[in-house]
Amino acid sequence: MSRLVAVYRSTGPDHSRRRPLFFDKLICLRSFLRAFSRVRGEREAVFVNDGPMPEDRLALMREWGRVVALPGLGNSPSYREALHLALAAPDDAIAYLAEDDYLYDDAALQKMAEAFGELPVVDYVTLYDHLDRYTRVDDARGGLSRVFIAGGHHWRTVESTCMTFGARVSRLRADAWAHRLCTIRRRPHDRPLWRLLQGQHAFFWKFPKRMVAGPVPSLATHMDALQLAPNVDWERAAAAARRGLD
């Protein structure tokens, strides 16, 4: 498989009030590392910490990869730093840019690598089956999706996702202008970014049009109590991560 470069972007505190009771950033990190450890082949982890980091998380990051400390730049500027680090990988690598409030299935990153290997038409992959796909009425193409099977898992095209995703580095490099454009403001404009990359709605003029695929059922979830990916026992996944790294 292609080399995997994971850039995990973190902040110390958490100000969201919409967290499930089993949320903890240390558990999210352990969950990510459990999935990362199961990727076969060459892999590299870089941890981008925007501001002070609790020692328990920092010690784990140092054990698993390289740590890059930022002085508290904020959401969009720290994303651009993470993007810069991802673009240092060769064109034939896979980059995974991760935020620190996601919980993972143990097989998530391995299945993502298999999807990239078996589906050459796919440019970007999200591991999060977002509830938007079941509730919105303004998805591109009327919500119609192409469906694939790769790595023993179902994947479908999706209109958008958040700022946690995998990408072929060659595509990410060509699209870097769009990623930077949509992170000019303090917070990334993720939905416009994915519509722009795929040439959807007002961005119909954009070529080449990229393809973004996501898993069904989900292989990760954003830890938002109102937006947990459906049909997965995420509390059980958190309990497994809490027990540590096998």
Side-chain angles (χ1 to χ4, degrees):
M1 60 159 278
S2 299
R3 174 186 176 192
L4 173 67
V5 177
V7 184
Y8 191 94
R9 185 165 55 101
S10 294
T11 58
D14 183 76
H15 302 296
S16 175
R17 298 179 181 179
R18 290 176 30 171
R19 298 300 191 189
L21 294 177
F22 51 91
F23 170 76
D24 182 279
K25 283 195 175 185
L26 179 59
I27 290 173
C28 289
L29 176 59
R30 285 176 172 169
S31 171
F32 165 79
L33 292 174
R34 284 168 65 99
F36 183 71
S37 71
R38 286 158 173 76
V39 175
R40 294 188 293 269
E42 187 179 0
R43 61 183 190 264
E44 174 189 0
V46 183
F47 300 94
V48 178
N49 295 334
D50 194 25
M53 189 63 49
E55 186 56 38
D56 53 357
R57 277 192 274 156
L58 188 57
L60 201 53
M61 292 171 180
R62 287 171 174 158
E63 180 181 345
W64 282 81
R66 178 163 60 102
V67 175
V68 175
L70 301 179
L73 300 179
N75 198 339
S76 285
S78 67
Y79 173 77
R80 291 194 294 272
E81 291 294 325
L83 175 67
H84 175 74
L85 291 166
L87 292 177
D91 275 357
D92 61 352
I94 301 300
Y96 186 70
L97 285 87
E99 297 162 287
D100 64 355
D101 57 349
Y102 279 70
L103 192 67
Y104 294 84
D105 180 279
D106 284 354
L109 293 174
Q110 181 60 41
K111 285 185 177 289
M112 179 189 75
E114 290 168 348
F116 276 120
E118 297 178 30
L119 302 173
V121 296
V122 170
D123 304 295
Y124 292 86
V125 165
T126 175
L127 296 172
Y128 175 32
D129 187 23
H130 200 297
L131 284 181
D132 276 4
R133 304 288 76 76
Y134 305 92
T135 58
R136 295 189 73 107
V137 296
D138 63 344
D139 270 4
R141 297 182 294 274
L144 297 177
S145 300
R146 290 182 62 183
V147 178
F148 309 93
I149 296 177
H153 207 87
H154 280 89
W155 301 85
R156 63 172 171 178
T157 54
V158 297
E159 184 215 39
S160 62
T161 187
C162 303
M163 301 304 288
T164 292
F165 60 90
R168 299 183 192 276
V169 171
S170 59
R171 310 296 197 277
L172 191 64
R173 196 182 316 283
D175 296 338
W177 66 272
H179 289 262
R180 294 185 179 109
L181 177 66
C182 291
T183 55
I184 289 176
R185 297 186 182 181
R186 185 175 63 89
R187 294 181 62 83
H189 280 202
D190 49 12
R191 194 176 187 88
L193 169 64
W194 297 109
R195 286 182 167 182
L196 171 57
L197 290 174
Q198 297 185 84
Q200 298 171 349
H201 289 284
F203 307 109
F204 64 90
W205 47 266
K206 191 266 184 186
F207 288 93
K209 299 183 186 298
R210 303 305 189 192
M211 181 180 290
V212 185
V216 181
S218 196
L219 293 168
T221 190
H222 188 204
M223 292 288 266
D224 180 329
L226 302 181
Q227 295 290 330
L228 293 177
N231 294 327
V232 178
D233 187 345
W234 294 112
E235 188 168 4
R236 182 177 180 180
R242 186 179 291 111
R243 290 192 295 269
L245 298 166
D246 299 332

